[in-house]
Every structure is written in structure tokens, then in C-alpha cells.
Amino acid sequence: MMPVWLGRPGQGKCIEMKKTGGDHNIRDQIQNLVRAYYQETFEGKEFVPGKTRIPYAGRVFDDAELVTLVDAALEFWLTQGRYSDSFEKNFGKFMGLSNCCFVNSGSSANLLAFMALTSPGLGAKAIERGDEVITVAAAFPTTVTPVMQYGAIPVFIDVELSTCNADTRFLEEALSPRTRAVMLAHTLGNPFDLDTVTEFCRKHDLWLIEDNCDALGSRYKDQMTGTFGDIGTSSFYPPHHMTTGEGGAVYTDNSELAGILISLRDWGRDCICPSGIDDTCGRRFSGQYGSLPPGYDHKYVYSQFGYNLKATDLQAAIGVAQLEKLPTFIERRRENWQLMRDGLSDLGHYLILPEPAPGSLPSWFGFLMLVRQEAPFSRDEIVAHLESRGIQTRMLFAGNFLHQPCFDHIRSSSDSYRVVGDLVATDEIMRSAFWVGVYPGISTAMAGYMVDSILEFAQK
């Protein structure tokens, strides 16, 4: 017998692990110990109003994630492997798309999605430096950053206060002879006007990237967001709809783009063999590529200027378990959002409360509120009240990204970006918007406590 300690030092217990022959017996025992460890360490935490902090988001898991994580660790493959293959296949199936590329973060997913559209292999449709991409400034930075880092020109349009999504009335005004793409996010899970945006892109032969990082599981007219555009992206950072720790995905039904995405993710290589596999095509040493010597090893032929954005099999193992829970996570987010919306419905004279986009069924990332100018309190005051009561809050990401310090050295430059109109609503969001969580770790009691805390402050 071998003693094994479960739980935190001084708080757990010691049990005995049998020494038996066979890899599977040992593996089964390890998995059983992991399940016991989960029960000992993570279960049974009770919510105490005013004392238990309510985060805006976080990871929700049980012993299944720990078991698959340890199972992958025992194989010690580490890089992309069988769990990655399984996750890509099943996530693509969930989205209803033929191609899914698992990457190391949602930010990398956005980078990869944009850079795929710059590939010379796309011919005249490839985005070149100096070309324009329509987007919004009321966004998370990584929806915009790849555009600027490449040397393309983001064109910022305003948003609607009711949804904090792109105000599509400005699309035609934003159009120029150099416009090549639209790259927009579904704000906090609320779909942007996909009918208008997709029609605009079709009319003008533009690429559409859907940043779906905050909207996994949202539907627009009964179709998954992230599947309307040429490429969709997701993030699996712990606050998101499901998690792999760090991690993200890029997905598409366009087989040409799928090949470019995989190549760019994997150093830009031309070879399609997975890690550890050689000569899938049977012509590893018989091809002619560029001006390389004939028969140069195809494993070291690079058709793109790429990256290494692969995730690990450890991350994918967590994702495999999380994906099974995703439908339940989505439903719980909707329930929590509705509890908040119903509970605060009488505060419309003080707060602009969120509304689902017409024709949509959002998978909400958070509950967004804007303090009206005529309210007897400011955003800072209500946020301070909620934080003092253990309720974590967040601003709407960058507010107006153009006011962020990273723009200080380029604000006077006329060729780095373009702005359509005055971004009045975007500035209002920067000044008055905040949000609280609706993630599946928030219980009905927690949601009720958040509602009561907001009502108590507003009705003073």
C-alpha cells in the first residue's frame, strides 16, 4: 500500500493506494484518486451574502475536467495530439462547420483569422497593407490589434446604445475603394445585425470575420453566430462560455481558408502531417517547392510566413470535458440574465438595460447597464457600491479604444486609422457603461443578491 494525501496541507486526509500490476490498473486508480481529490478540495462551498465574492466570470468544472487533464498528462504527449483532434472535431460539430482549428488563445484566434485573409494564395482578394477593415472602437483590443499590426487601416464606426453593437447605418459611409473586410464582435453575447452586415459584405465583395469570443452558443434567426461570416473565432479563457485555461478556436466552412489557417498556425508549413507523423502524402522527398532543391523534405517547406499558435493536448483534454457541459452552461447564462433583467425592469429611468437583438437568442456573456445622464448617481458611484458588497464589475472592455494609451503616439496620424462620424454612443459607453456576471457559477441566490444590491443603491 502507498499513502497518498488528498486536499490542502493540514486540511485533507491520507488514503492508501494499492500497488497492482498493469498500466490500466494504475491509471484507473489515479483517476479515482483525482475524483476523490476534487470532492475533497472543490465541492461544498456555500454562498454567504455580503461575504462570498461574486466574480463577473470564472471556470465552472467538476471531476471530469481533472480526470481528462491528468489522463492527458499521463500520456505526456503535451503538444497537439489525440485530445486536440477530438476537441476540434466535436467543437466543429457543435458549431455545424466542417473546419475547426484549435489555438492557444482567443487573441491568437483573431490574429490567425485576420492574417489568413492576407495570404497571397487568395490572389486579388488578399488584404494588403493600406487596405481598410470596418470595425468599432467599443471593443476588446484584439478585435482591432491584428489589423493595425499588419499595417491595414481600421475604420471605426459608432455603435447603438441599445445593444452596444455596430450601428449599421454607418456602413455605407465607411466604405471606400480600399475596403476589403468587416471585423466585428457580438458584444457580450448579443448578436450584431447580421442580416445587414452580411448583405453589405455580399454587395461589396468583402470578407467578414465574426469575433464570436463573447457569444459562443448565441443564435441569430436560429443559426449559430460565428457561422455567418467567412471565419469565426472563439476564446476559451476562464471567463468565457467554456474554458481550456488559455485557448481559442478559428472555424470556417471555406476549405481554402481552412488550409491557410492550419498552415499559419503551424509555422507556415506546407506539409499537412500532424505532429509526429511523416509522409502522409507519400511524396515527402519527391516534390519541387519554390527554388528549393528538388526533393527537399516536405516537413520543412513553408508556404506562409506563419507562427506557432498551437495549443497543448492538456488544454484540449479540459476542452473535451467542458464541451459536454456547454449546452447547460449556455442555458444557465440565459437564466441568470433573465433573472437580472426581470429584477431590474423598474430601473429603466436610471439605467439603460440590455435588450436582445431582434431575431436573436443570445448566449449572454454578461449583464450590461448604462447609467443615464439624468440619473442621480454616476457609474463610478454604483460600481463602488457593488464592489463594496463583494460584487465584481467590469467596464465594457476598452470603452472607446481610441482613447487608450496605445493610441497616444498615433492619434495625430492621418494614415493609421479612420473614424466615421463622432462616435457619440461609443463615448457614452466609455463614460457610463458597466456590467456584472451571469456565468454558470452564479446561483439564483447570487443573482438575487446582485439585483437587491442594485435596487438598494438606486432607490436610496
Side-chain angles (χ1 to χ4, degrees):
M1 303 288 281
M2 180 174 63
V4 177
W5 187 267
L6 293 179
R8 296 182 177 90
Q11 299 178 4
K13 61 183 178 182
C14 190
I15 66 171
E16 297 292 329
M17 177 176 165
K18 294 179 181 178
K19 290 183 178 179
T20 57
D23 174 69
H24 288 292
N25 285 334
I26 296 174
R27 204 177 190 116
D28 289 345
Q29 289 184 69
I30 290 171
Q31 291 180 353
N32 288 334
L33 285 170
V34 169
R35 294 185 182 96
Y37 178 83
Y38 169 82
Q39 294 171 357
E40 183 73 30
T41 307
F42 294 106
E43 283 191 340
K45 295 182 180 179
E46 184 179 348
F47 171 63
V48 180
K51 293 185 178 180
T52 305
R53 184 157 174 77
I54 303 176
Y56 79 96
R59 66 209 198 287
V60 177
F61 65 100
D62 57 25
D63 60 341
E65 283 83 351
L66 294 184
V67 167
T68 54
L69 174 61
V70 170
D71 190 56
L74 291 174
E75 293 181 357
F76 210 66
W77 182 250
L78 301 184
T79 187
Q80 185 170 344
R82 70 179 182 91
Y83 274 111
S84 299
D85 294 343
S86 175
F87 179 74
E88 287 181 336
K89 177 182 177 181
N90 290 328
F91 188 83
K93 184 178 180 180
F94 176 83
M95 294 300 298
L97 295 174
S98 56
N99 301 286
C100 171
C101 183
F102 186 39
V103 295
N104 58 5
S105 74
S107 299
S108 292
N110 280 350
L111 171 65
L112 199 58
F114 175 76
M115 291 304 294
L117 302 183
T118 72
S119 172
L122 296 174
K125 286 209 68 177
I127 297 174
E128 298 180 353
R129 289 172 178 81
D131 285 343
E132 295 184 346
V133 179
I134 298 173
T135 187
V136 298
F140 196 77
T142 56
T143 311
V144 179
T145 298
V147 179
M148 302 196 71
Q149 289 177 330
Y150 175 69
I153 310 299
V155 179
F156 296 104
I157 63 174
D158 210 356
V159 298
E160 303 170 327
L161 284 180
S162 59
T163 63
C164 294
N165 279 318
D167 188 334
T168 55
R169 295 176 300 174
F170 292 100
L171 287 173
E172 291 290 347
E173 186 179 348
L175 188 70
S176 85
R178 298 222 61 170
T179 306
R180 294 292 179 269
V182 175
M183 187 169 182
L184 296 171
H186 301 288
T187 304
L188 294 183
N190 204 5
F192 58 76
D193 183 353
L194 279 157
D195 280 345
T196 301
V197 173
T198 54
E199 176 57 30
F200 174 77
C201 290
R202 279 195 294 267
K203 177 181 176 182
H204 299 289
D205 196 23
L206 305 176
W207 298 107
L208 173 58
I209 298 175
E210 282 182 82
D211 181 338
N212 201 42
C213 291
D214 293 346
L216 181 56
S218 289
R219 290 184 173 273
Y220 184 86
K221 297 187 176 178
D222 206 33
Q223 182 177 335
M224 286 275 198
T225 58
T227 67
F228 288 80
D230 298 284
I231 303 177
T233 64
S234 283
S235 172
F236 307 131
Y237 191 63
H240 288 270
H241 289 70
M242 56 167 283
T243 189
T244 59
E246 301 288 349
V250 191
Y251 30 92
T252 182
D253 253 348
N254 184 315
S255 59
E256 181 181 20
L257 289 177
I260 294 170
L261 289 166
I262 293 171
S263 175
L264 285 173
R265 182 195 64 182
D266 299 357
W267 307 283
R269 68 180 184 176
D270 197 74
C271 177
I272 62 170
C273 293
S275 296
I277 303 296
D278 293 342
D279 208 21
T280 302
C281 64
R283 299 186 302 275
R284 180 182 170 191
F285 297 106
S286 60
Q288 173 66 64
Y289 307 99
S291 56
L292 291 167
Y296 198 83
D297 187 350
H298 196 210
K299 292 286 284 189
Y300 290 97
V301 173
Y302 303 95
S303 54
Q304 314 278 335
F305 289 103
Y307 311 91
N308 179 5
L309 301 179
K310 296 193 304 299
T312 68
D313 231 35
L314 302 175
Q315 292 169 283
I318 300 169
V320 166
Q322 284 271 293
L323 194 53
E324 293 186 3
K325 299 179 173 69
L326 182 55
T328 302
F329 287 168
I330 292 168
E331 187 58 35
R332 186 59 193 168
R333 285 178 176 274
R334 290 175 179 149
E335 291 171 358
N336 281 337
W337 186 92
Q338 197 62 55
L339 286 169
M340 297 290 298
R341 187 64 179 78
D342 292 344
L344 299 174
S345 59
D346 291 338
L347 291 184
H349 55 298
Y350 289 158
L351 301 172
I352 298 176
L353 297 173
E355 296 289 349
S360 74
L361 180 61
S363 174
W364 296 101
F365 188 54
F367 190 86
L368 180 69
M369 295 162 276
L370 283 81
V371 178
R372 295 185 184 273
Q373 292 182 9
E374 58 270 27
F377 54 85
S378 68
R379 190 230 351 237
D380 292 348
E381 289 171 334
I382 189 170
V383 163
H385 170 75
L386 295 176
E387 293 283 351
S388 72
R389 291 175 65 87
I391 300 169
Q392 193 175 37
T393 63
R394 285 291 186 267
M395 305 292 111
L396 187 58
F397 308 128
N400 183 339
F401 192 31
L402 300 178
H403 288 282
Q404 291 287 339
C406 56
F407 273 82
D408 286 350
H409 69 290
I410 62 172
R411 195 166 286 119
S412 61
S413 173
S414 60
D415 58 359
S416 296
Y417 62 93
R418 190 159 64 84
V419 178
V420 176
D422 297 325
L423 304 187
V424 175
T426 301
D427 284 338
E428 183 62 24
I429 287 167
M430 178 177 62
R431 290 189 296 265
S432 65
F434 73 100
W435 57 281
V436 296
V438 296
Y439 84 106
I442 292 177
S443 65
T444 300
M446 291 175 177
Y449 175 73
M450 289 194 291
V451 167
D452 291 344
S453 298
I454 294 170
L455 291 173
E456 173 192 295
F457 177 81
Q459 295 171 353
K460 282 183 180 177

